[in-house]
């Protein structure tokens, strides 16, 4: 799966603001310190999040960022889309290029279906659920897969 740090860090930072920004704006330097992310990198990410309306900036001595909407109205897929993060499971490009030369690989449909499942899951999980815990009914029931308690332990 292709998922770089931009998407992960955006979700981590948004979760940090959802958790610690209840009383007002959160300085980006505090987010960077708590999440151990470069402040310069967070500034780039937050420019995109602000453009998408997911965060609002406040200037001044007690300035920083706060959520643009309540945490239960923001889903993970929105955050990732705002920072231009994709969840692609295949080597195939969207421009019509194949996995293997000009052809689709034998397992292309499998990986495309998995990518669609991941996209559905991320669209169904809110920022509030990220910080409070994803309800077990949203977790997939897999044959010999992981349980809700295993997810919370990881």
């Amino acid at each position: 799966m292709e998922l770089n740090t931009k998407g992960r860090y955006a979700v981590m930072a948004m979760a940090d603001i959802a958790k610690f920004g209840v009383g007002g704006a959160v300085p980006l330097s505090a987010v960077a310190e708590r999440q151990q992310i470069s402040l310069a990198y967070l500034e780039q990410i937050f420019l995109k999040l602000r453009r998408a309306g997911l965060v609002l900036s406040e200037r001044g001595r007690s300035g920083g960022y706060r959520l643009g909407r309540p945490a239960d109205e923001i889903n993970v897929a929105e955050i990732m889309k705002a920072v231009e993060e994709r969840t692609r499971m295949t080597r195939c490009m969207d421009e019509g290029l194949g996995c293997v030369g000009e052809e689709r690989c034998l397992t292309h449909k499998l990986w495309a279906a998995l990518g669609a499942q991941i996209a559905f899951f991320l669209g169904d999980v809110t920022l509030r659920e990220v910080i409070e815990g994803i309800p077990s009914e949203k977790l997939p029931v897999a044959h010999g897969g992981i349980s809700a308690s295993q997810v919370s332990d990881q």
Side-chain angles (χ1 to χ4, degrees):
M1 177 174 145
E2 291 187 27
L3 178 63
N4 66 33
T5 57
K6 192 176 0 175
R8 285 196 340 250
Y9 287 177
V11 173
M12 289 167 62
M14 291 283 293
D16 186 284
I17 288 176
K19 182 174 181 174
F20 295 104
V22 177
V26 177
L28 208 50
S29 59
V31 175
E33 185 177 325
R34 278 191 295 266
Q35 301 304 319
Q36 298 181 358
I37 302 171
S38 156
L39 180 58
Y41 196 38
L42 274 182
E43 288 170 344
Q44 295 172 22
I45 290 170
F46 270 73
L47 179 65
K48 293 179 180 189
L49 293 171
R50 192 169 50 90
R51 285 183 187 152
L54 296 175
V55 294
L56 302 171
S57 62
E58 294 184 6
R59 298 183 187 268
R61 189 166 45 96
S62 60
Y65 287 90
R66 61 184 174 88
L67 297 180
R69 300 192 314 263
D72 59 352
E73 295 179 15
I74 298 173
N75 66 53
V76 174
E78 284 182 277
I79 298 168
M80 295 180 69
K81 182 180 178 185
V83 296
E84 300 162 4
E85 180 68 86
R86 299 173 47 188
T87 54
R88 187 176 65 205
M89 300 300 299
T90 68
R91 292 187 290 179
C92 295
M93 307 305 265
D94 293 331
E95 295 82 33
L97 301 174
C99 304
V100 184
E102 297 295 318
E103 303 295 320
R104 298 274 191 222
C105 65
L106 291 174
T107 58
H108 177 81
K109 290 181 181 178
L110 168 70
W111 304 125
L114 179 57
Q117 288 290 319
I118 291 170
F120 175 79
F121 176 73
L122 295 177
D124 195 42
V125 174
T126 68
L127 196 52
R128 177 159 316 285
E129 291 169 331
V130 169
I131 61 174
E132 292 179 356
I134 299 169
S136 59
E137 62 268 10
K138 287 193 175 183
L139 297 175
V141 178
H143 304 288
I146 59 175
S147 68
S149 64
Q150 289 172 308
V151 169
S152 63
D153 292 340
Q154 293 180 3

